[in-house]
Amino acid sequence: MVMTHFSRLRQLLLLQPKFLSSQPRPLRSPPPTFLRSVMGSSSSFSSSSSKLLFRQLFENESSTFTYLLADVSHPDKPALLIDPVDKTVDRDLKLIDELGLKLIYAMNTHVHADHVTGTGLLKTKLPGVKSVISKASGSKADLFLEPGDKVSIGDIYLEVRATPGHTAGCVTYVTGEGADQPQPRMAFTGDAVLIRGCGRTDFQEGSSDQLYESVHSQIFTLPKDTLIYPAHDYKGFEVITVGEEMQHNPRLTKDKETFKTIMSNLNLSYPKMIDVAVPANMVCGLQDVPSQAN
């Protein structure tokens, strides 16, 4: 059954050859597992007019994914980063330079508790980059987003969906509708939906009730072939579809009361980075951002 299930996912991806980039992915070396080899085939997409350049990057210590998107059909090749990490800023900037991109936005899905965001460092190293986060997060940034807002790079845009529950300010970024936008759609869910899991709800104004409602109303209502790209991975996954998570997520497929019971009995340890990461991330990743970077 497992082979059949992932064969179907592979067929879904291979039916979209025009979305696959021929350029190699700058990812960590994949572990020798069937899941990684299948899921890895989806990590570089472009739209039907070859607009979108997409890269999925990884930071090992916090198991964080950073996502690079750019409109390479635009003369400036404008780009954005989602959930950059301070420790991999130089890697990300090197890749952006090699690809000839112009970084416009450094965006976060929420105020992270397990790593320090790279947005502050990116602003100091590449003047003109704007930090972006939800208004509900209460964090400092150059641009604040609210539900329904759109973030554009060239002719590609991301729709902002409020998905609180892991934290009060969590958002999911979803690629746009329409034939001129990347297909299938892509949802960058932060910690709201992890592959076969979800973010914890026991700190940072977390709420299991709110997270359940957020996921079911804002993510599980997307087309079932929408690709979910989470903020973290701990099991060897890179990407999954909305339809698959609706069937197989061991927490979010339950009714709300069962979900709340599960979340209240996780008995997870206190995040080791939270006392450092949250204060830093509330001010864009740097305690004092130099004035010339603003």
Side-chain angles (χ1 to χ4, degrees):
M1 293 298 292
V2 173
M3 290 295 291
T4 300
H5 173 70
F6 283 101
S7 295
R8 289 176 180 170
L9 178 58
R10 189 171 215 172
Q11 288 174 356
L12 169 65
L13 298 173
L14 295 179
L15 284 172
Q16 309 288 341
K18 59 190 175 184
F19 303 121
L20 295 176
S21 168
S22 61
Q23 300 184 43
R25 294 182 301 136
L27 281 171
R28 67 200 188 285
S29 298
T33 65
F34 173 73
L35 291 179
R36 179 67 72 183
S37 65
V38 172
M39 306 310 290
S41 65
S42 65
S43 292
S44 298
F45 284 82
S46 63
S47 71
S48 56
S49 57
S50 300
K51 290 180 181 178
L52 177 65
L53 180 147
F54 173 63
R55 296 291 183 269
Q56 182 182 44
L57 306 167
F58 193 75
E59 193 279 312
N60 285 288
E61 186 172 333
S62 61
S63 297
T64 298
F65 283 124
T66 295
Y67 298 100
L68 173 66
L69 292 83
D71 182 350
V72 292
S73 70
H74 190 279
D76 293 334
K77 295 185 178 180
L80 60 82
L81 282 170
I82 298 174
D83 289 336
V85 180
D86 61 342
K87 294 181 178 180
T88 51
V89 160
D90 289 339
R91 175 205 65 187
D92 298 347
L93 289 177
K94 183 175 185 292
L95 176 62
I96 288 167
D97 181 65
E98 289 173 347
L99 295 174
L101 309 178
K102 181 180 180 180
L103 187 65
I104 306 297
Y105 301 121
M107 307 166 62
N108 282 293
T109 53
H110 63 290
V111 174
H112 303 276
D114 50 12
H115 68 272
V116 175
T117 180
T119 53
L121 283 175
L122 285 163
K123 284 165 57 66
T124 64
K125 292 174 178 285
L126 201 61
V129 174
K130 300 295 184 184
S131 57
V132 183
I133 200 166
S134 71
K135 184 177 180 180
S137 71
S139 174
K140 291 185 178 180
D142 296 312
L143 299 174
F144 298 102
L145 300 173
E146 298 191 67
D149 286 348
K150 294 180 180 179
V151 180
S152 297
I153 46 169
D155 293 326
I156 296 169
Y157 72 88
L158 297 176
E159 169 196 332
V160 180
R161 295 192 172 206
T163 49
H166 171 61
T167 74
C170 287
V171 294
T172 291
Y173 300 118
V174 184
T175 54
E177 295 183 274
D180 63 335
Q181 297 298 309
Q183 298 296 329
R185 298 180 75 180
M186 306 159 75
F188 301 92
T189 56
D191 285 18
V193 175
L194 305 177
I195 298 174
R196 300 297 191 269
C198 63
R200 59 195 293 180
T201 58
D202 56 335
F203 58 82
Q204 288 182 277
E205 300 180 306
S207 165
S208 55
D209 187 279
Q210 196 172 42
L211 179 58
Y212 189 90
E213 290 295 332
S214 294
V215 171
H216 282 263
S217 66
Q218 300 299 316
I219 297 174
F220 285 179
T221 53
L222 289 164
K224 288 183 173 57
D225 65 346
T226 301
L227 299 167
I228 290 177
Y229 289 95
H232 300 283
D233 169 68
Y234 310 100
K235 299 178 181 178
F237 293 93
E238 292 175 352
V239 58
I240 213 73
T241 64
V242 165
E244 184 172 333
E245 281 304 284
M246 290 175 67
Q247 284 188 297
H248 300 293
N249 190 295
R251 300 175 185 174
L252 292 161
T253 51
K254 304 296 191 291
D255 63 82
K256 185 193 287 189
E257 292 307 312
T258 303
F259 174 78
K260 290 165 64 175
T261 298
I262 292 171
M263 298 304 290
S264 64
N265 288 282
L266 293 178
N267 298 317
L268 298 173
S269 60
Y270 189 74
K272 64 180 181 179
M273 281 288 294
I274 189 171
D275 294 329
V276 173
V278 170
N281 292 337
M282 290 297 290
V283 289
C284 198
L286 290 177
Q287 298 296 332
D288 296 295
V289 179
S291 59
Q292 67 265 26
N294 291 328

